Amino acid sequence: QRQMCIRDSTQVAGNITLGTDATLEIELGGTERGNEYDSVTVTGNSSLDGILDIRRINGFMPSEDDRFLVLETRQHTGQFDSITNLDLTEILTLHPTWDADGLSLTALDKYPWHNYSSIHDVNADGHISPKDAIYVINQINEGESEALAWPRPNGKEVPYYDVNRDGISSPIDALTVIN
C-alpha cells in the first residue's frame, strides 16, 4: 500500500490521483493551517480513492467548531474509501465536508440535540416539567420520530429532543423525562 505523508503544507502543481491502494496521512497538531496541521493544495484536479488517515499529534485536542482545510483542490472526482480516526472523544467527532475550498474536517458534537447541562430539560428553560415531555411528544406527533439531523442545522438551539443521546427522537425520550 502506498502512503503519502504530508508535512506542514504541500502544494501539488497540476493534477493528483490517489488510487485504491493509496493512504494520505494528515497530522493535526493545532489550528494553524500548514504550520500546526498538515494540508495539501492541488492546483489542478484531484481523483480520490483509498484512505485518508487523520492523526492527532503533540496531545492536541480540537475544540468544537474548529475547522481544518486538509485538501484544497480546484475540482475533485471520487471519494476516499474511508477516513480514519474521526472520533475525538465520546461526544466530539471530526465531520468531513466538501465545499468550494475543498475537503475540510470540522470538530462537531456527536449529539447536538442533547442538553448536556440538564438532560431532562428539553426546552432549556432551567426547569424540568411536563412541558419538556410535551416538546418530545409533539415532535413525534408531527411524524418526526426518527433519526435527528446531523450535523444539526442552525447549530445548537432548543429544543433538545434527544434526551437519551441515541440520535433519535422517540417515545423513550418522553418517557425518560416523565420518569
Side-chain angles (χ1 to χ4, degrees):
Q1 186 160 354
R2 297 182 53 196
Q3 187 160 354
M4 181 178 179
C5 295
I6 302 302
R7 296 293 176 250
D8 302 323
S9 183
T10 299
Q11 183 159 7
V12 176
N15 301 328
I16 188 171
T17 299
L18 299 174
T20 57
D21 63 341
T23 298
L24 175 60
E25 182 181 305
I26 297 286
E27 294 179 336
L28 304 178
T31 57
E32 187 179 333
R33 183 175 185 228
N35 186 26
E36 295 178 320
Y37 76 88
D38 302 336
S39 66
V40 179
T41 300
V42 180
T43 62
N45 300 323
S46 301
S47 176
L48 305 174
D49 212 341
I51 299 168
L52 176 59
D53 184 23
I54 307 301
R55 307 238 175 145
R56 289 185 302 115
I57 59 169
N58 302 327
F60 174 66
M61 177 57 71
S63 297
E64 189 171 355
D65 297 322
D66 282 351
R67 180 177 178 263
F68 307 93
L69 178 59
V70 295
L71 178 60
E72 184 176 11
T73 185
R74 197 173 59 129
Q75 189 175 3
H76 81 280
T77 57
Q79 301 259 50
F80 289 104
D81 289 333
S82 67
I83 302 177
T84 63
N85 303 313
L86 293 176
D87 286 340
L88 301 170
T89 67
E90 182 182 337
I91 62 170
L92 196 63
T93 191
L94 291 170
H95 180 63
T97 54
W98 284 97
D99 60 21
D101 295 327
L103 177 62
S104 295
L105 303 172
T106 305
L108 295 177
D109 184 343
K110 290 182 189 179
Y111 307 101
W113 296 90
H114 180 76
N115 186 350
Y116 291 97
S117 59
S118 181
I119 64 171
H120 299 100
D121 190 5
V122 175
N123 64 352
D125 66 354
H127 305 285
I128 300 167
S129 70
K131 287 181 188 177
D132 296 299
I134 295 297
Y135 269 92
V136 176
I137 292 166
N138 286 340
Q139 167 85 352
I140 294 166
N141 282 337
E142 291 174 13
E144 299 180 23
S145 178
E146 55 189 43
L148 296 162
W150 190 89
R152 186 173 181 169
N154 305 321
K156 290 185 173 188
E157 297 176 3
V158 295
Y160 296 102
Y161 299 118
D162 192 11
V163 177
N164 68 343
R165 208 174 77 176
D166 66 355
I168 299 169
S169 174
S170 66
I172 193 70
D173 294 302
L175 290 172
T176 302
V177 173
I178 293 168
N179 292 327

